[in-house]
Amino acid sequence: MNNDRAKSAMTGNGAATGAKTDDRANILLVDDRAENLLALEAILEPLGQVLVRANSGPEALKQVLIVDFAAILLDVQMPGMNGFEVAEIIKSRERSRTIPIIFLSAISKEEAYVFKGYSMGAVDYVFKPFNTDVLRSKVAVFVDLYCKQRELQHQAELLREAEKRELELEHRTSLLEAEARSAAKLSQMNDELHRRQVALEQAMGARNRFYASMSHELRTPINAVIGYSTLMLDNIYGPLNGKQKEGLQRTLKAARHLLELVNDVLDLSKIEAGKIELSLQPVMFPALIEDLFVTVRPLADEYGSTLSLDMDGEPFTIVSDPRRVRQILLNLLSNAIKFGEGKPIRVSCKQNEDKGVQLEVVDQGVGIAPDDMPRIFEEFVQVTESKQPGTGLGLPISRRLAQLLDGSLTACSTPGQGSTFRLTLPASLEDDLAPTAELVAATVA
């Protein structure tokens, strides 16, 4: 056998020539005689396909397991396992049942053998010696059918891949369209949100301007009422009888309450507008609390409450806005007195681990119901049923001021036992608020 034939055929022991690297079809030649295999190779070599040898039935079955064949030329008479037995096993396997089998026989020419061959699934039964051109033509037909079938399978695979890519493309397109719609909707929502935010800022600005204007306009006549009422009570314009004096005292009390409301509204509008100016100075404890006791003692005496101070440690100083700290504590003390039912009021003061201050105003009054606790820091809300006068702005303003001072204001209460309001402030605001103070000053200017 020449070199080209050796490259395309099996070696004498039936081993495979290697993995297929081209589009040629495999043809299995099965015969126990080497000279017959050489003759078949010579006949089929012009087809240009891969010729695979098998010199026994078991070797043929082994090759069928590992290689796809376009046709099998199978000798009937072989020792050990004849061609019929080999064909029966080949046809029983799903992988190889459709491979065309051409039986080759030199002696089994009786009709019974031919019929058996066809019954085993053979496509042809050829007698030796056979016509070279006829045999080659028959094999060529099966090779051509195999190649066409393989091409159809390849086209089907390409079609499935194309359909898969089309489905993926449609899915991707749908996703992109959905994302585009979502993006457009999100953009629309953002635009609407921006418009609403602008409208809200404009409304809040108008409201704050109204608050400020109203507060300034109202404080002038209120102060006049307070001033003239005080002069009349001091008998500057002559003596008053009992009824007149009582009426003026009620007028003065109502005017002061109205002035308190106006001042609270003005403070609230400044806080919301971001125009609260902080003046940072040393704040000394407990001196500031002792000074506040002097201020609120007349109110405490009126309600029958005593004031006490618990100082934990030595006096100390923080850097904050003393005016705003006084405003917060004055509101807490006033509330404790008004709602303390004449019982003792205690203020505790201590320096925390960060060198800041922690203050607690504790009363033994009516307390606050658990359901009302979340509402006590809301504007214009008075949760108690007490008839004590108030604006409903003191606690909200106090908490906002505490936050502006980089601190916090919290509360806890037990109905019937009293309430505790805790104010914490940092050791210093000088570094944190210097840029803010400059910005506020520039804005006001």
Side-chain angles (χ1 to χ4, degrees), residues 361-368 412-414 417-421:
V361 178
V362 183
D363 67 64
Q364 302 174 36
V366 295
I368 304 169
C412 61
S413 182
T414 302
Q417 298 183 19
S419 304
T420 299
F421 286 83

Side-chain angles (χ1 to χ4, degrees), residues 72 74 76 83-84 87-88 91 97 99-104 113-126 142:
I72 300 175
L74 180 59
V76 174
F84 293 142
E88 185 178 9
K91 290 299 182 179
R97 59 188 298 270
I99 302 176
I101 298 176
I102 299 176
F103 281 119
L104 306 176
Y113 283 103
V114 175
F115 178 77
K116 185 176 181 180
Y118 283 113
S119 66
M120 301 305 300
V123 296
D124 207 346
Y125 199 103
V126 179
F142 294 120

Side-chain angles (χ1 to χ4, degrees), residues 333-377:
L333 284 170
S334 298
N335 284 347
I337 293 171
K338 292 176 183 178
F339 301 103
E341 296 187 326
K343 297 178 181 178
I345 295 170
R346 177 175 58 86
V347 178
S348 66
C349 175
K350 68 176 182 179
Q351 190 173 28
N352 56 33
E353 296 178 356
D354 298 328
K355 303 300 181 182
V357 63
Q358 176 178 298
L359 302 163
E360 288 186 350
V361 178
V362 183
D363 67 64
Q364 302 174 36
V366 295
I368 304 169
D371 292 342
D372 292 331
M373 287 298 295
R375 302 173 54 232
I376 62 175
F377 292 105

Side-chain angles (χ1 to χ4, degrees), residues 81-351:
M81 179 181 289
N82 63 40
F84 293 142
E85 294 172 333
V86 174
E88 185 178 9
I89 295 175
I90 291 175
K91 290 299 182 179
S92 68
R93 295 172 178 172
E94 184 65 27
R95 173 190 172 102
S96 57
R97 59 188 298 270
T98 60
I99 302 176
I101 298 176
I102 299 176
F103 281 119
L104 306 176
S105 178
I107 60 174
S108 303
K109 299 182 179 181
E110 292 85 355
E111 290 184 0
Y113 283 103
V114 175
F115 178 77
K116 185 176 181 180
Y118 283 113
S119 66
M120 301 305 300
V123 296
D124 207 346
Y125 199 103
V126 179
F127 300 107
K128 301 176 184 179
F130 30 72
N131 186 297
T132 301
D133 294 331
V134 172
L135 182 60
R136 185 186 302 119
S137 297
K138 289 182 178 181
V139 174
V141 170
F142 294 120
V143 169
D144 185 57
L145 289 174
Y146 174 81
C147 292
K148 284 182 169 54
Q149 183 182 13
R150 189 168 59 181
E151 180 64 24
L152 287 174
Q153 292 176 348
H154 179 64
Q155 293 295 333
E157 291 176 0
L158 292 178
L159 181 60
R160 286 194 295 269
E161 288 295 325
E163 292 176 348
K164 181 179 178 181
R165 287 194 296 271
E166 184 177 359
L167 289 175
E168 290 176 350
L169 181 60
E170 291 178 357
H171 181 62
R172 191 178 298 111
T173 302
S174 300
L175 288 178
L176 291 175
E177 290 176 352
E179 289 178 359
R181 288 193 297 269
S182 299
K185 187 175 182 180
L186 181 60
S187 177
Q188 182 180 1
M189 293 175 63
N190 286 336
D191 292 340
E192 179 64 22
L193 183 60
H194 177 68
R195 287 193 293 271
R196 292 186 180 184
Q197 183 178 0
V198 171
L200 179 61
E201 290 175 352
Q202 293 175 346
M204 291 182 64
R207 187 196 67 176
N208 291 335
R209 289 192 296 272
F210 170 74
Y211 282 168
S213 176
M214 178 196 70
S215 300
H216 286 297
E217 294 295 331
L218 288 177
R219 281 196 297 182
T220 299
I222 292 173
N223 283 327
V225 172
I226 293 175
Y228 283 116
S229 297
T230 302
L231 291 175
M232 294 176 70
L233 287 171
D234 290 339
N235 297 320
I236 298 298
Y237 300 107
L240 301 173
N241 59 38
K243 289 291 185 180
Q244 291 172 332
K245 189 172 183 180
E246 182 182 355
L248 281 175
Q249 287 175 339
R250 291 180 178 179
T251 301
L252 181 61
K253 185 175 182 180
R256 286 174 175 169
H257 176 63
L258 182 59
L259 181 61
E260 179 185 355
L261 173 60
V262 171
N263 288 334
D264 285 346
V265 170
L266 182 59
D267 281 343
L268 183 61
S269 66
K270 286 182 177 180
I271 292 174
E272 292 184 346
K275 293 183 178 180
I276 286 288
E277 300 178 41
L278 299 179
S279 177
L280 302 183
Q281 300 174 25
V283 183
M284 294 176 288
F285 292 98
L288 183 139
I289 301 172
E290 293 170 345
D291 183 53
L292 279 173
F293 277 4
V294 174
T295 302
V296 300
R297 194 167 303 279
L299 182 64
D301 293 341
E302 179 183 346
Y303 282 85
S305 294
T306 59
L307 303 175
S308 63
L309 172 63
D310 293 340
M311 181 65 190
D312 186 1
E314 298 297 324
F316 59 93
T317 301
I318 67 170
V319 176
S320 190
D321 187 330
R323 177 189 170 196
R324 299 304 177 183
V325 177
R326 284 177 57 90
Q327 184 176 352
I328 297 171
L329 290 175
L330 182 60
N331 179 267
L332 297 181
L333 284 170
S334 298
N335 284 347
I337 293 171
K338 292 176 183 178
F339 301 103
E341 296 187 326
K343 297 178 181 178
I345 295 170
R346 177 175 58 86
V347 178
S348 66
C349 175
K350 68 176 182 179
Q351 190 173 28

Side-chain angles (χ1 to χ4, degrees), residues 378-399:
E378 296 178 6
E379 290 88 354
F380 302 104
V381 172
Q382 288 182 296
V383 297
T384 66
E385 298 179 357
S386 172
K387 297 182 180 180
Q388 300 298 338
T391 64
L393 291 175
L395 287 178
I397 290 175
S398 297
R399 169 170 275 190

